[in-house]
Amino acid sequence: MNFSLEGRTYVIMGVANKRSIAWGIAQSLNSAGARLVFTYASERFEKSVRDLAATLEGPESLFYECDVTDDAAIEKTFSTMKEDIGVVHGLAHCIAFAKREELQGEFVDTSRDGFLLAQNISAFSLAAVSKAVKPLMTEGGSILTLTYLGGERVVENYNVMGVAKASLDATMRYLANDLGKYGIRVNAISAGPIRTLSAKGVGDFNSILKVIEEKSPLRRPVTQEEVGDTAYFLMSDLSRGITGEIIHVDSGFSILA
Ligand code: NDP
Ligand code: N5H
């Protein structure tokens, strides 16, 4: 069994800064010897991504701009990537967005615009990028996305994003069924709360983490590195029998009533 990712190439979408879960994934895959391809939504985060990637050892990384709301941008990104590198072995989708004002108060007040925006960026984008990366995954491989418990249960304030994650989870399962015959597995990691740029300013994060410290079986929050190592497992041949699955990396919180 080959645990190393040497000679393999993985696309990582959604590094905003060093706190991003996507960056934890990048570091784990890099430690295993993988070559990495980073995509960022706009020029605003290009420098941050390039500066972080420059700290990695091993194979040179590649960089592409890709706003997942733009079909033409997705098509251009992945066709250029195919010309540049040919084959990729996996993709980590670490992207979500909802209007800040809809991540508080009651879900019943969600606007049509806000609902569709959250679905578009946080759920449909997985289907769109899977379709675009499929022609590059000629040797099979693994696609993963990041989800949250609020898609399975009602979690205060998660609101419109909870409905988007439920949609993302189902999208992941339908993609797993379609792409299995090409040797492509599709899974999700359901991460416990981690302080990132997205999480900043939404709700009272300190009190959310306090609940995790008091109640979760492991009595502590999870880290980007722990999610990264599960991503490494899902990208590697160790997980070759797993597809259409949600793996909770959450200190066991999801087993609680
Ligand atoms: P970050 O803020 O670090 O990452 C969010 C990313 O989404 C950013 O890199 C942002 O790109 C990207 N993004 C938003 N809109 C677009 C777009 N239109 N096109 C392309 N990219 C876009 O936060 P996290 O690391 O926390 O989030 C990553 C994933 O993890 C999300 O799916 C989130 O829901 C999930 N998650 C997070 C948890 C947490 O507690 N933090 C818990 C469970 C799941 P850019 O910066 O270039 O704008
Ligand atoms: C129950 C909670 C706490 C409340 C809900 C948080 C939901 C967060 C998810 C979305 C992705 C956050 C979001 O879209 C924020 C934006 O409105 C504003 N931020 C930005 O625009 C920044 C600059 C960019 C980088 O952000 C994005 N996304 O592009 C959930 C928490 C316990 C767990 C959690 C934080 C889950 C999650 O999905 O992230």
Side-chain angles (χ1 to χ4, degrees):
M1 182 62 50
N2 185 9
F3 301 163
S4 163
L5 300 181
E6 263 170 52
R8 296 198 190 170
T9 304
Y10 295 89
V11 181
I12 302 199
M13 311 187 77
V15 175
N17 60 26
K18 69 175 195 309
R19 288 173 178 265
S20 294
I21 298 177
W23 180 240
I25 295 175
Q27 288 174 293
S28 289
L29 301 188
N30 171 258
S31 306
R35 175 167 65 158
L36 302 179
V37 178
F38 293 94
T39 76
Y40 43 88
S42 69
E43 275 170 25
R44 185 163 69 115
F45 285 97
E46 177 174 357
K47 186 174 182 315
S48 164
V49 176
R50 283 186 181 270
D51 288 351
L52 280 172
T55 66
L56 297 172
E57 286 176 13
E60 281 284 292
S61 303
L62 291 100
F63 306 88
Y64 301 88
E65 187 175 313
C66 186
D67 176 348
V68 296
T69 61
D70 180 346
D71 282 335
I74 294 175
E75 152 58 26
K76 183 169 168 240
T77 300
F78 286 90
S79 59
T80 313
M81 209 185 284
K82 189 165 170 53
E83 278 165 29
D84 293 347
I85 55 179
V87 179
V88 310
H89 302 88
L91 179 145
H93 171 277
C94 315
I95 291 173
F97 188 88
K99 292 183 182 178
R100 197 185 291 263
E101 62 271 23
E102 296 191 346
L103 298 169
Q104 57 196 344
E106 296 191 350
F107 171 73
V108 72
D109 294 323
T110 302
S111 66
R112 187 186 300 272
D113 257 16
F115 187 96
L116 295 176
L117 179 70
Q119 290 282 338
N120 189 13
I121 299 184
S122 318
F124 175 71
S125 63
L126 178 66
V129 302
S130 296
K131 184 178 179 183
V133 77
K134 182 173 162 254
L136 286 80
M137 294 185 68
T138 49
E139 298 173 10
S142 172
I143 294 173
L144 71 86
T145 188
L146 293 173
T147 191
Y148 178 62
L149 187 63
E152 300 173 64
R153 314 228 192 110
V154 173
V155 174
E156 199 182 350
N157 295 326
Y158 205 58
N159 296 355
V160 69
M161 187 52 68
V163 178
K165 289 301 192 193
S167 169
L168 176 72
D169 296 353
T171 299
M172 177 276 291
R173 287 189 287 270
Y174 276 86
L175 289 169
N177 186 50
D178 285 347
L179 300 182
K181 55 184 168 295
Y182 306 110
I184 300 172
R185 299 181 291 108
V186 189
N187 293 287
I189 296 175
S190 181
I194 297 177
R195 206 185 289 279
T196 62
L197 187 55
S198 278
K200 219 171 126 183
V202 283
D204 177 2
F205 214 73
N206 286 337
S207 57
I208 292 169
L209 290 180
K210 199 158 167 269
V211 173
I212 301 298
E213 278 161 16
E214 284 170 0
K215 300 223 160 84
S216 71
L218 295 181
R219 301 285 196 279
R220 61 168 182 82
V222 294
T223 63
Q224 282 86 339
E225 290 71 27
E226 288 169 331
V227 177
D229 285 350
T230 301
Y232 167 28
F233 165 72
L234 284 174
M235 292 303 191
S236 82
D237 298 343
L238 285 173
S239 60
R240 65 198 177 282
I242 301 176
T243 196
E245 185 71 288
I246 298 175
I247 300 185
H248 294 84
V249 181
D250 66 348
S251 298
F253 190 78
S254 69
I255 66 171
L256 299 179

